[in-house]
Amino acid sequence: MEICRRNDALEISDLDPFLAELLRQIPASTNPEGTAAAEQRLFSSPAAADETNVCAEWKLYVHPELGRLFRSATETVAADLEQLNCREGTFANRTLRIPIKHGDAWLSALNQARLVIAAKYNFSDGELGDHYRSPLGSRRDLSLFQVNFYGFIQEFILRELNGCETKNSD
């Protein structure tokens, strides 16, 4: 797998089918439904529970807008991921091009997916920080790998977006 910037896009080339499948799972992975801990993590309250007015206003005004922003980011990512749905050469490596203007949506969707997966599997800080763990013996292990892989992609996007901003300010 190679990652670089080409013109106005971030390009992930030579993407093997396993990693392509992990990327295709981003939109589904952002869905916190059925996992209270994931919903709580994505829509965390801005104040202590005893501050009922603040919490009620947040739920009324902020929560719906956050949900809309999350859905919009996920829809953008899902549309970009259509590139990976080619039926020809199922086991062939692929290339994914992410327009720079979609960078923020990708960061949002990847962050949502990471938070939801981490909450669903109740990963500890130690597990999340162990980047050298490699065995994929269970669904839980695969999910931890997925969280770390999404973090790697986020880091690349952030680096490229920050590089882009630095170049634009010169």
Side-chain angles (χ1 to χ4, degrees):
M1 179 175 85
E2 291 185 38
I3 303 177
C4 66
R5 177 167 180 176
R6 293 206 197 290
N7 302 318
D8 288 336
L10 305 174
E11 187 174 285
I12 305 172
S13 59
D14 203 21
L15 189 59
D16 70 60
F18 171 72
L19 296 178
E21 180 56 32
L22 288 182
L23 289 173
R24 279 193 289 270
Q25 290 178 18
I26 294 168
S29 297
T30 65
N31 186 353
E33 286 182 26
T35 307
E39 288 185 30
Q40 187 175 18
R41 186 67 177 101
L42 284 177
F43 297 100
S44 56
S45 181
D50 62 348
E51 294 187 48
T52 55
N53 287 344
V54 172
C55 293
E57 287 182 5
W58 184 89
K59 189 156 187 129
L60 181 64
Y61 298 113
V62 177
H63 189 281
E65 181 62 13
L66 272 178
R68 188 194 67 72
L69 290 171
F70 289 162
R71 281 188 303 281
S72 175
T74 300
E75 289 167 1
T76 298
V77 169
D80 288 345
L81 289 169
E82 288 293 319
Q83 301 167 59
L84 300 178
N85 289 340
C86 179
R87 297 284 181 228
E88 298 173 9
T90 305
F91 295 107
N93 288 355
R94 304 260 187 255
T95 297
L96 174 65
R97 288 178 188 83
I98 303 168
I100 290 290
K101 64 184 178 183
H102 294 179
D104 288 335
W106 272 81
L107 290 172
S108 175
L110 286 164
N111 194 53
Q112 291 171 63
R114 293 180 77 217
L115 291 171
V116 169
I117 294 167
K120 282 183 179 180
Y121 287 93
N122 196 27
F123 290 128
S124 68
D125 289 341
E127 288 173 305
L128 291 169
D130 183 4
H131 302 294
Y132 299 104
R133 182 178 172 160
S134 61
L136 297 177
S138 68
R139 176 62 195 165
R140 190 171 197 281
D141 290 339
L142 177 60
S143 295
L144 183 58
F145 178 84
Q146 193 174 10
V147 167
N148 287 324
F149 177 60
Y150 291 171
F152 169 75
I153 299 298
Q154 279 182 302
E155 184 179 334
F156 167 73
I157 293 170
L158 279 169
R159 191 174 309 141
E160 288 303 316
L161 291 179
N162 286 337
C164 181
E165 289 171 8
T166 303
K167 290 175 190 170
N168 289 337
S169 65
D170 288 342

